[in-house]
Amino acid sequence: MVLVLVALSLVIPGCGWPGQNGEGGVQEELPPAPEAGPAPGEPSLGEGELSAHFIDVGQGDSILLRLPNGESVLIDAGDNGASSTVIAYLKVQGIAHIHHLIATHPHADHIGGMAAVIREFSVGEVYMPRTSHTTITYERLLLAIQEKGLRITEARAGVTMLDEPGLRASFLAPFPREGLSLNDSSAVLKVEYGSVSLLFTGDAEAESEGHMLLSSSMSPRADILKAGHHGSQSSSSEVFLEAVSPSIAIISAGEGNSYGHPHKEVLERLQGMKVEILRTDLHGTIVITTGGESFSVKTERESPG
Ligand SMILES: [Zn+2]
């Protein structure tokens, strides 16, 4: 990534979320080459473009990646009640087959909607960290995987999901350790397209961040960071943020959630580093589109603040 310091915010009237009359979307373009990307919910994707859709699923995570090679990736599927939102969003995007499905870790706000997604779509590879969890939600997911005869690939540091000229996706974590919490066992995926990089951290907390920093095999540096654990102060440690050095941090959290996510300590850390913050609880669904050089951001709503 050559550039990218100051993001220019533009309100584009009439570019809002389909069905929300009169509400303008927000487009941010980073110089030098503004790239037109699809607004949230719009299915179009230009040739040679990668888009990352941080779907507003309330308190939880669900991220759709549409890759320039035509493949799709779904990272998490929100809580149980979010499955219809995720399924509808993928259908609007014209997704029939999910090439790579990633369950970052077994907590319900990440995998609750996934069994329904698996039943609804054709699915290729499933990636999960090697953990165990005894909830009905997790068992339901494993059952759906089994019923479809899908193969599970262990997500762990060093596993490469995709490696093509100019496009690479690999797991930076977890580093399996005794006594690792479920959050710190989160699959962390780094996607690099051209000179643009994106880091998806699930609910990885400071311990996993520390493992990533100590690893010499792959740098966590990324232009776009999906901040860990919904912006909890147990994640996004200062040293980790400095190493990632993102231009934009995306926080996926539910409006008025009972955890107080995102925590003000994390917001202050990011602000102190001049990282632009985008939040699904404020902005709704957030879409980042890149042709591999610069990237553009569109949000479902303009932030009320
Ligand atoms: Zn979570």
Side-chain angles (χ1 to χ4, degrees), residues 175-196:
F175 291 80
R177 297 276 191 282
E178 281 294 311
L180 209 58
S181 72
L182 278 183
N183 283 343
D184 278 325
S185 69
S186 285
V188 174
L189 185 75
K190 181 173 178 178
V191 176
E192 295 164 283
Y193 179 42
S195 57
V196 175

Side-chain angles (χ1 to χ4, degrees), residues 59-61 105 107 109-110 183 202-203 229-230 261:
Q59 183 68 9
D61 274 17
H105 66 297
H107 281 149
D109 56 322
H110 297 253
N183 283 343
D203 278 358
H229 197 193
H230 322 286
H261 294 156

Side-chain angles (χ1 to χ4, degrees), residues 57-287:
V57 289
Q59 183 68 9
D61 274 17
S62 185
I63 304 155
L64 168 69
L65 304 180
R66 299 185 65 195
L67 303 179
N69 65 2
E71 295 186 352
S72 58
V73 182
L74 185 69
I75 305 172
D76 293 334
D79 216 328
N80 293 279
S83 61
S84 54
T85 302
V86 175
I87 288 168
Y89 193 93
L90 265 57
K91 286 188 170 172
V92 168
Q93 289 292 316
I95 304 292
H97 180 70
I98 300 167
H99 296 77
H100 311 276
L101 180 64
I102 301 169
T104 60
H105 66 297
H107 281 149
D109 56 322
H110 297 253
I111 56 128
M114 200 169 273
V117 167
I118 287 173
R119 295 204 169 92
E120 191 73 27
F121 296 94
S122 150
V123 175
E125 202 79 22
V126 179
Y127 296 85
M128 301 170 76
R130 189 179 293 277
T131 51
S132 63
H133 201 40
T134 53
T135 59
I136 289 173
T137 299
Y138 189 51
E139 284 170 11
R140 211 180 281 146
L141 169 61
L142 296 177
L143 189 65
I145 290 170
Q146 193 182 32
E147 278 172 7
K148 277 243 178 162
L150 302 174
R151 199 165 69 95
I152 298 177
T153 301
E154 184 185 356
R156 58 185 289 168
V159 170
T160 298
M161 195 175 86
L162 251 176
D163 193 1
E164 297 178 5
L167 177 66
R168 190 179 154 85
S170 343
F171 291 99
L172 270 61
F175 291 80
R177 297 276 191 282
E178 281 294 311
L180 209 58
S181 72
L182 278 183
N183 283 343
D184 278 325
S185 69
S186 285
V188 174
L189 185 75
K190 181 173 178 178
V191 176
E192 295 164 283
Y193 179 42
S195 57
V196 175
S197 47
L198 306 97
L199 187 62
F200 305 94
T201 56
D203 278 358
E205 300 189 300
E207 182 172 352
S208 177
E209 292 174 354
H211 294 158
M212 286 187 263
L213 292 178
L214 288 173
S215 162
S216 55
S217 57
M218 204 173 166
S219 162
R221 227 308 291 140
D223 302 297
I224 295 127
L225 169 70
K226 199 296 292 185
H229 197 193
H230 322 286
S232 166
Q233 60 173 318
S234 54
S235 303
S236 302
S237 58
E238 194 135 13
V239 279
F240 186 68
L241 291 181
E242 278 166 5
V244 177
S245 186
S247 303
I248 292 183
I250 312 264
I251 293 171
S252 187
E255 198 177 348
N257 68 80
S258 57
Y259 308 97
H261 294 156
H263 291 147
K264 71 171 180 5
E265 291 85 348
V266 170
L267 297 176
E268 285 169 3
R269 264 175 239 158
L270 291 166
Q271 283 156 356
M273 294 178 188
K274 306 272 186 277
V275 179
E276 187 176 357
I277 302 166
L278 293 166
R279 298 167 48 173
T280 59
D281 59 336
L282 300 181
H283 298 95
T285 294
I286 298 156
V287 180

